[in-house]
Amino acid sequence: MNRESILIVEDEEDIAGLIAHHMEAAGFNVIVAYDGATAFKEMEKQLPDLILLDLMLPDTDGIEICKMLKQKELTRNIPVIMVTAKGEEVDRIVGLQLGADDYVVKPFSPRELTLRVKGVLKRLSALREGQKVLKLGKLALDLDAHTVAIGGKRIDLTLTEFNLLRELLLSKGRVKSRETLLNNVWGYTFEGYNRTVDTHIQRLRHKLGDHGKIIVTVRGIGYMIREEEQL
Ligand code: CA
């Protein structure tokens, strides 16, 4: 069985070593890079299944690296977990806006980190391994047939509305920034197009009727569907 590989980008050798140790113990292949340049070199050799990305690095900081990863076709879909030092509240949000999949705050417990890593990978593998229908209560989104139904009743959505709902369902429990949605649904990130997202979300909510409320607005950031949402 192929083990999943994790690229750890962390300049503090002690911390990098500690994370590497726990990831190996959890059954992952580990690659360590102490700076951004090395990280990109490593990725030319082998694309990791997930990246643990420290925010404060000597050359390029984690934010820049995340941006670069999300801009490249080849690396766009590699999940990124940002690792931030305590109190870097602003950076956390910036991390999310750049499309990071999750974040952990230093100091973290090995158990917590392992759970986060496995959680992110699990969400993605469900997708890769052909999970055909995403469900939330009575709502069902069929990835292959491109249909959405509530309680068996078909809802007529445009392609964009469908893709928006799919993005939000796939990342249930996490906020998706307008930038990330633009990037993943429309395939571009032009500034000033954020209103486009709002407009389509409004239409989508309207079409979903009572179920429209599952899409929650997160002020100043974007949208999410809560994990625990009951319908
Ligand atoms: Ca650091």
Side-chain angles (χ1 to χ4, degrees):
M1 192 186 131
N2 265 343
R3 291 198 295 167
E4 286 168 307
S5 63
I6 299 197
L7 173 63
I8 299 166
V9 191
E10 168 65 74
D11 61 317
E12 285 166 74
E13 291 188 28
D14 289 353
I15 297 177
L18 192 73
I19 297 176
H21 170 75
H22 288 293
M23 289 300 116
E24 274 165 3
F28 295 108
N29 261 332
V30 171
I31 310 149
V32 177
Y34 296 120
D35 55 53
T38 314
F40 280 101
K41 254 179 229 160
E42 288 294 340
M43 277 186 272
E44 281 171 22
K45 287 187 254 169
Q46 190 201 343
L47 285 177
D49 292 294
L50 183 142
I51 301 170
L52 282 171
L53 182 58
D54 181 27
L55 204 61
M56 307 296 277
L57 291 161
D59 55 349
T60 323
D61 68 20
I63 292 170
E64 267 311 305
I65 293 176
C66 197
K67 248 190 224 170
M68 288 158 77
L69 288 168
K70 295 298 166 190
Q71 275 166 6
K72 289 185 187 171
E73 191 68 43
L74 204 62
T75 52
R76 180 176 293 163
N77 295 318
I78 302 174
V80 176
I81 298 182
M82 297 284 265
V83 182
T84 78
K86 215 174 182 177
E88 289 170 323
E89 211 65 43
V90 178
D91 294 324
R92 272 199 238 174
I93 291 169
V94 171
L96 286 170
Q97 284 184 332
L98 291 169
D101 291 83
D102 206 348
Y103 62 85
V104 288
V105 180
K106 290 178 194 173
F108 44 79
S109 74
R111 187 181 139 74
E112 186 195 350
L113 185 65
T114 309
L115 283 177
R116 294 293 183 90
V117 167
K118 287 187 172 168
V120 168
L121 287 172
K122 200 176 142 200
R123 281 201 288 265
L124 289 173
S125 75
L127 177 64
R128 282 200 200 106
E129 283 163 18
Q131 186 184 335
K132 300 281 192 272
V133 181
L134 306 174
K135 285 185 180 159
L136 185 71
K138 286 181 186 165
L139 184 128
L141 180 146
D142 190 316
L143 291 165
D144 283 348
H146 269 245
T147 56
V148 172
I150 296 173
K153 190 174 175 288
R154 176 87 177 266
I155 306 290
D156 209 11
L157 298 183
T158 64
L159 182 62
T160 302
E161 290 158 357
F162 175 87
N163 288 340
L164 261 178
L165 186 59
R166 182 196 58 198
E167 279 302 310
L168 292 169
L169 280 172
L170 282 172
S171 56
K172 207 167 55 180
R174 286 172 300 149
V175 185
K176 282 278 170 182
S177 69
R178 291 181 175 85
E179 286 79 4
T180 304
L181 288 169
L182 267 175
N183 206 9
N184 295 356
V185 174
W186 283 266
Y188 56 71
T189 43
F190 294 128
E191 292 202 11
Y193 277 70
N194 289 349
R195 293 299 132 209
T196 306
V197 179
D198 297 341
T199 307
H200 283 83
I201 289 276
Q202 261 174 35
R203 288 195 199 131
L204 175 59
R205 275 180 179 147
H206 182 72
K207 286 188 181 177
L208 294 177
D210 285 348
H211 286 62
K213 67 178 192 302
I214 63 170
I215 303 170
V216 178
T217 307
V218 182
R219 267 188 72 197
I221 305 177
Y223 298 94
M224 76 182 290
I225 289 177
R226 288 209 190 93
E227 193 113 40
E228 72 278 13
E229 200 63 58
Q230 295 294 321
L231 296 170

